Amino acid sequence: MNINVLGALASANSALSHTQLTLASGKKVNSVRDDQTGYMIARRAETSTRVNNAASGNDADLMGMLNVMIASLQDMEADMIREQELSMAYNAGSTVLSVDELTAIEIEAATLANQWNDDQLAIAFTYNGYLLSDGGMDFSTVQIGEGATNTAGAASNTFVGANASTPRVWAELWDASAIDRATDVSAGGFAQGTVAFDAGAIELALQDIRTELARLAGWQNQLQEQINSNDANASSTDALRSRWEDTDTAAATVAATRGAILSQIATAQLAAANTARSYALGLF
């Protein structure tokens, strides 16, 4: 009887010890030895969660770049609309405006044009060390989601459309307007007649700028959808890891209470069994 009771006590203490360990660590699977399948599934899910979170971080960085690019191109659009207004004023008033008035229009047009030359763009429009205005950025080289890489060996997800990952060169967008830039736009050094307004070219340039803005806005939508997908995948895989690995605190607490009661019962039974022999010997 003593041996049976002792075995029951050892079993109850072992179960109680394991339950207390899961409560203390918060993990029902603490090693491969506990549950090889559960441990490996939890580790794979943890890796997937990390990848998706990192990809969302990359997406957020790209979103920041796109925000800067869109804001800058909106400034260009506003300047091109002003150029269109100046062109209309110049062409309509060429016979009624004075030379000084026509020169003033040209000076403003040339001043706006000079803001969008290659040198100015290289200085003004950079983001985290990346030059945004030269069309040299290739978003297809960035990992923005989890999965197999594309044929270029870069990202698992790229922007749709032919050459969609390469932005247009901003200076070329402006150059389509055919508005000449002047090295000296001061009133004293500017010769009237320097700027030639081509209403058709300006309208085409404005359309190009708006097309590029629409394309960048499309990339933003794709990035936002990718961020949503990554976040959903990260949440799902983290929940999977939790199901296999994390302790169910309520169930573990009940099990710990049950184990403590069983341990106390077995201890009491063992004490009773040890004293029973003394009572039996006392009869002789």
Side-chain angles (χ1 to χ4, degrees):
M1 177 180 178
N2 285 18
I3 294 176
N4 290 337
V5 172
L6 186 61
L9 177 61
S11 177
N13 285 339
S14 176
L16 178 60
S17 175
H18 183 269
T19 302
Q20 289 174 333
L21 176 61
T22 60
L23 281 172
S25 65
K27 306 292 183 184
K28 62 184 177 184
V29 177
N30 288 287
S31 67
V32 176
R33 182 174 56 186
D34 291 343
D35 181 353
Q36 183 175 1
T37 300
Y39 184 85
M40 297 305 294
I41 291 175
R43 296 287 70 75
R44 175 64 186 88
E46 181 181 32
T47 298
S48 183
T49 300
R50 287 174 176 270
V51 169
N52 280 285
N53 285 335
S56 284
N58 291 341
D59 295 338
D61 289 340
L62 291 179
M63 189 72 81
M65 292 183 183
L66 286 177
N67 289 338
V68 173
M69 296 173 77
I70 287 174
S72 301
L73 287 179
Q74 286 173 338
D75 289 341
M76 179 187 284
E77 180 187 26
D79 284 348
M80 188 59 70
I81 290 173
R82 179 57 181 162
E83 295 282 25
Q84 193 172 49
E85 294 171 350
L86 293 172
S87 171
M88 292 178 180
Y90 188 92
N91 291 326
S94 59
T95 58
V96 295
L97 296 177
S98 68
V99 172
D100 288 341
E101 289 171 328
L102 294 174
T103 300
I105 291 175
E106 290 187 278
I107 288 175
E108 182 179 350
T111 300
L112 290 175
N114 280 340
Q115 294 177 3
W116 299 101
N117 63 46
D118 296 325
D119 293 337
Q120 291 292 335
L121 294 178
I123 295 172
F125 298 104
T126 59
Y127 181 87
N128 286 349
Y130 293 99
L131 180 59
L132 303 181
S133 60
D134 66 350
M137 294 186 64
D138 184 2
F139 289 166
S140 69
T141 62
V142 181
Q143 185 79 15
I144 63 174
E146 185 181 19
T149 58
N150 60 20
T151 54
S156 60
N157 296 277
T158 54
F159 299 109
V160 298
N163 300 318
S165 63
T166 304
R168 293 279 300 276
V169 180
W170 295 359
E172 292 179 0
L173 289 172
W174 184 274
D175 288 344
S177 67
I179 297 178
D180 298 329
R181 300 187 179 97
T183 56
D184 184 0
V185 294
S186 65
F190 191 89
Q192 194 270 332
T194 299
V195 177
F197 291 104
D198 184 334
I202 293 174
E203 178 61 31
L204 290 176
L206 193 55
Q207 291 178 10
D208 283 348
I209 294 169
R210 288 169 175 167
T211 298
E212 184 67 4
L213 280 170
R215 193 162 66 113
L216 296 184
W219 294 2
Q220 277 189 319
N221 291 336
Q222 292 181 58
L223 271 179
Q224 188 57 58
E225 290 299 323
Q226 187 64 52
I227 289 174
N228 295 340
S229 175
N230 290 340
D231 291 346
N233 289 337
S235 177
S236 176
T237 53
D238 191 57
L240 175 63
R241 178 205 57 76
S242 178
R243 286 196 298 272
W244 281 94
E245 184 178 60
D246 291 351
T247 298
D248 183 339
T249 304
T253 301
V254 172
T257 302
R258 178 176 178 275
I261 293 172
L262 290 176
S263 178
Q264 292 170 2
I265 292 174
T267 301
Q269 288 178 334
L270 182 61
N274 286 335
T275 58
R277 182 178 302 173
S278 299
Y279 291 143
L281 291 177
L283 296 176
F284 296 95

